[in-house]
Amino acid sequence: MNKHIAVLGLGWLGLPLALQLQKKGFTISGSTSNLDNLKPLSKYSFPVNRIKIEADKIVGDWEAFINETSTLIINFPPKRINNIETIHPLQIAQIIKHTPKTTKVVFVSSTSVYQNTNARIDETVTCMPQKASGIGLIKAEQLLKEYFGSNVTILRLAGLIGPKRHPGRFLANKKQLKNPNVPVNLIHQKDAVGLITAILEQDCFGEIINGCADVHPKRKDFYKNAAMQLNLEAPVFETSTEERFKIVDNLKSKTILNFEYQFANPESIFAKDKLPEIYIVGAGPGNKNLLTLKAFNAINNAEVILHDNLISDEIMTINTNAEHIYVGRKFGDKENPQARQNKINELLKLHCEMGNNVVRLKSGDPYVYGRAAEEVRFLKAHKLPFCVVPGISAALAAASLANIPITERGHSNAILICTAHTADYSTSQLNGIAEMLNAGNTLALYMGLKSLDKIIPKLIAVSGNPDIPINAISNVSRANEVLFSSTLGNIENDIKKQELKMPVVFLIGVKPID
């Protein structure tokens, strides 16, 4: 069986669909109508074409896009423009004109093709849409059925919710809204992707299928609860005496595809156990090739990335589609550390509860001077799901890349990791460090470049040995990495001759292998 799938429209639904199908073993090609989207989409391992469907032509190389395609997924909604009831069918006619009848097609339609009947409504009803977009869609459906026949399946999706489409934002702050007691028809992004995947895997064509959650909560209650979850002002509804509605029946999707909805009740989008896991990711010292596979995948799949100051550009460019939020702190910043941390915590909570895939990106390892503990305690207190992904800490990366054996049989059996920012260097601390250094062990010192004039004299005083080797490594693993070796007695003068850019890690007590 040819498993080549062409996804027309790599948007909010199309992109996660393409990625899911690729994981399932399908060969994917995708498209976007916007030239600006080509570059960010180019990072994915499937080809992306610029295809724009117009009423009288197709802009782009359509033949290349559907070359060797077994199934075409048509996934672009009617635009909110005048005459869309005429324009959208003409767009579909262009696709029909340039596509073989033997191609199988999944057409992503909408339950807006159904009229309000104040009752349950299924796929057997004769559609009488009331809005222009619905009229355009039903005409498009008819054209596709006439041309592709049993090779086309039409999937009518209810209102879409999920990442970046949290229902709490739909009606928040709005006043004098009508129809407070009508049932809502919604479907989560994961279930929409799941339905299309099931259609393909079960080769289910020649059908019309509704995609909608099982449960239909009242409009007023649902959107008030949704707004409250995001701490937004709840919408205000009028008292309504006459309300028109429909309840979209999903029984066929569950029986013909044996499909089980993950979000059978759309209110479960508010449930903690349905929220996406927050990834607290160690980005390592900067080279993207030193990321763990789990870290790379988390970054690649993120929709929101909260990142620190020292994250390298090459790691940030792994995912340019995500929203990047800078939450870092530079040397000399005057912002209150606790206020800054509180802001980060609230951002993690907000974006997670909106259903976004959130990555908190930290330099090195999250638990090595990465302040992950404060964030983890906050997430645990609010019962939010999270995962901490380890990263290669700068001291370990520097040792390996510069061939500095920080532990070695017969020479050093321990390494002490310290920071110059928060250590008080009391007598007991200094004496302990001196004993380690004099015994031939290693000291890794983070964030010490601006404090050398205070630290080095103390180390010489307590160790009594100015000849202890010290190595300064700037921008570990990056293209502009600098290794500078000296001794405790000479480092302050020598470093004035060699400009070192932060971040710098010091490895004290051991020499590089010649």
Side-chain angles (χ1 to χ4, degrees):
M1 174 183 173
N2 187 343
K3 296 175 69 176
H4 190 120
I5 310 296
V7 181
L8 180 63
L10 292 175
W12 181 84
L13 176 61
L15 180 57
L17 171 64
L19 294 171
Q20 171 68 8
L21 293 177
Q22 190 176 49
K23 288 179 183 177
K24 292 279 188 176
F26 291 93
T27 302
I28 303 297
S29 59
S31 81
T32 177
S33 61
N34 190 336
L35 282 172
D36 293 337
N37 290 338
L38 283 176
K39 185 175 180 179
L41 288 170
S42 67
K43 70 178 182 180
Y44 297 105
S45 58
F46 50 81
V48 179
N49 299 265
R50 196 265 175 140
I51 302 291
K52 187 176 182 181
I53 311 296
E54 298 184 348
D56 58 348
K57 62 182 177 181
I58 296 179
V59 178
D61 192 343
W62 180 262
E63 285 71 23
F65 171 60
I66 64 167
N67 184 40
E68 299 184 356
T69 291
S70 61
T71 303
L72 170 65
I73 299 174
I74 303 175
N75 174 49
F76 68 100
K79 292 183 178 179
R80 295 179 180 179
I81 56 175
N82 292 334
N83 299 321
I84 192 58
E85 67 272 27
T86 300
I87 293 171
H88 195 61
L90 290 174
Q91 291 175 303
I92 298 302
Q94 287 298 318
I95 295 173
I96 289 170
K97 181 179 177 181
H98 295 91
T99 306
K101 282 187 175 183
T102 53
T103 305
K104 291 186 176 180
V105 174
V106 176
F107 179 59
V108 180
S109 186
S110 166
T111 56
S112 65
V113 299
Y114 295 124
Q115 61 273 30
N116 290 327
T117 61
N118 286 26
R120 297 189 76 85
I121 201 162
D122 63 21
E123 296 86 347
T124 62
V125 72
T126 299
C127 294
M128 299 174 62
Q130 295 159 314
K131 293 183 178 180
S133 59
I135 295 170
L137 279 171
I138 201 67
K139 289 179 181 178
E141 288 183 9
Q142 290 166 351
L143 289 172
L144 291 166
K145 285 189 289 184
E146 289 170 4
Y147 182 75
F148 291 104
S150 61
N151 281 335
V152 63
T153 280
I154 294 163
L155 179 62
R156 293 170 177 165
L157 296 179
L160 294 163
I161 59 174
K164 296 191 176 181
R165 289 184 65 88
H166 192 286
R169 293 189 175 275
F170 291 179
L171 301 179
N173 302 315
K174 294 189 176 180
K175 313 291 184 185
Q176 305 304 312
L177 295 170
K178 297 181 179 180
N179 301 317
N181 298 308
V182 302
V184 295
N185 299 291
L186 298 168
I187 184 170
H188 195 278
Q189 182 192 73
K190 288 184 178 180
D191 287 324
V193 169
L195 281 169
I196 298 171
T197 303
I199 290 168
L200 297 175
E201 290 183 330
Q202 298 177 40
D203 198 30
C204 181
F205 288 91
E207 301 288 348
I208 298 174
I209 301 172
N210 290 338
C212 184
D214 295 351
V215 179
H216 307 266
K218 288 184 179 181
R219 186 169 184 250
K220 177 181 177 180
D221 296 337
F222 179 78
Y223 286 108
K224 278 190 172 182
N225 290 337
M228 288 171 59
Q229 195 207 23
L230 299 183
N231 295 318
L232 299 175
E233 185 178 343
V236 177
F237 288 84
E238 294 180 349
T239 301
S240 181
T241 54
E242 182 179 356
E243 298 179 313
R244 302 290 294 168
F245 64 90
K246 55 180 173 276
I247 299 176
V248 176
D249 189 293
N250 69 359
L251 181 61
K252 183 176 181 180
S253 69
K254 293 192 288 186
T255 54
I256 196 172
L257 296 172
N258 194 29
F259 188 77
E260 183 176 348
Y261 286 81
Q262 293 185 54
F263 290 82
N265 183 346
E267 290 185 309
S268 62
I269 196 174
F270 311 144
K272 300 287 187 183
D273 62 348
K274 292 291 187 179
L275 294 176
E277 201 168 38
I278 296 170
Y279 283 89
I280 301 175
V281 174
N287 189 315
K288 68 178 180 181
N289 293 320
L290 296 182
L291 289 169
T292 66
L293 184 59
K294 189 169 186 177
F296 181 88
N297 288 335
I299 296 167
N300 198 38
N301 295 328
E303 291 163 315
V304 177
I305 298 175
L306 279 64
H307 63 97
D308 282 344
N309 177 48
L310 297 177
I311 307 300
S312 67
D313 290 341
E314 66 172 301
I315 287 178
M316 291 304 300
T317 54
I318 290 172
N319 186 342
T320 54
N321 281 339
E323 180 183 358
H324 293 179
I325 303 175
Y326 174 72
V327 293
R329 180 177 182 273
K330 298 178 182 178
F331 180 80
D333 283 355
K334 302 300 183 183
E335 183 183 6
N336 180 277
Q338 191 56 56
R340 173 179 160 274
Q341 189 59 60
N342 292 342
K343 178 182 176 182
I344 293 170
N345 293 344
E346 290 300 330
L347 283 170
L348 291 172
K349 181 175 182 290
L350 170 65
H351 286 286
C352 176
E353 290 180 341
M354 287 180 63
N356 296 324
N357 293 323
V358 182
V359 163
R360 173 70 174 101
L361 198 55
K362 296 174 176 288
S363 179
D365 182 271
Y367 280 129
V368 180
Y369 306 123
R371 294 182 295 279
E374 298 171 60
E375 289 160 18
V376 166
R377 289 191 180 99
F378 175 87
L379 297 176
K380 277 184 169 288
H382 288 82
K383 296 181 172 56
L384 296 171
F386 70 91
C387 174
V388 180
V389 182
I392 298 176
S393 192
L396 304 182
S400 296
L401 296 172
N403 294 312
I404 301 173
I406 51 178
T407 63
E408 184 179 8
R409 185 176 57 187
H411 294 277
S412 173
N413 61 10
I415 177 171
L416 175 64
I417 297 178
C418 297
T419 170
H421 276 193
T422 58
D424 58 18
Y425 295 112
S426 62
T427 300
S428 59
Q429 278 187 329
L430 288 168
N431 287 338
I433 291 171
E435 289 179 10
M436 281 195 65
L437 290 173
N438 288 333
N441 294 307
T442 306
L443 171 66
L445 183 66
Y446 285 67
M447 296 170 277
L449 185 61
K450 301 294 184 180
S451 307
L452 278 186
D453 59 335
K454 300 180 182 65
I455 298 169
I456 296 300
K458 290 183 178 182
L459 291 179
I460 293 174
V462 295
S463 68
N465 185 0
D467 296 324
I468 291 175
I470 178 170
N471 308 279
I473 306 94
S474 166
N475 285 309
V476 176
S477 82
R478 307 187 192 192
N480 58 344
E481 176 185 294
V482 174
L483 166 64
F484 183 72
S485 297
S486 183
T487 64
L488 289 183
N490 296 325
I491 184 67
E492 288 189 82
N493 288 328
D494 289 346
I495 211 166
K496 294 174 183 177
K497 305 170 187 176
Q498 174 75 50
E499 182 183 1
L500 294 178
K501 294 184 178 180
M502 291 190 288
V504 177
V505 62
F506 293 91
L507 298 178
I508 306 171
V510 64
K511 294 180 180 180
I513 298 173
D514 293 332

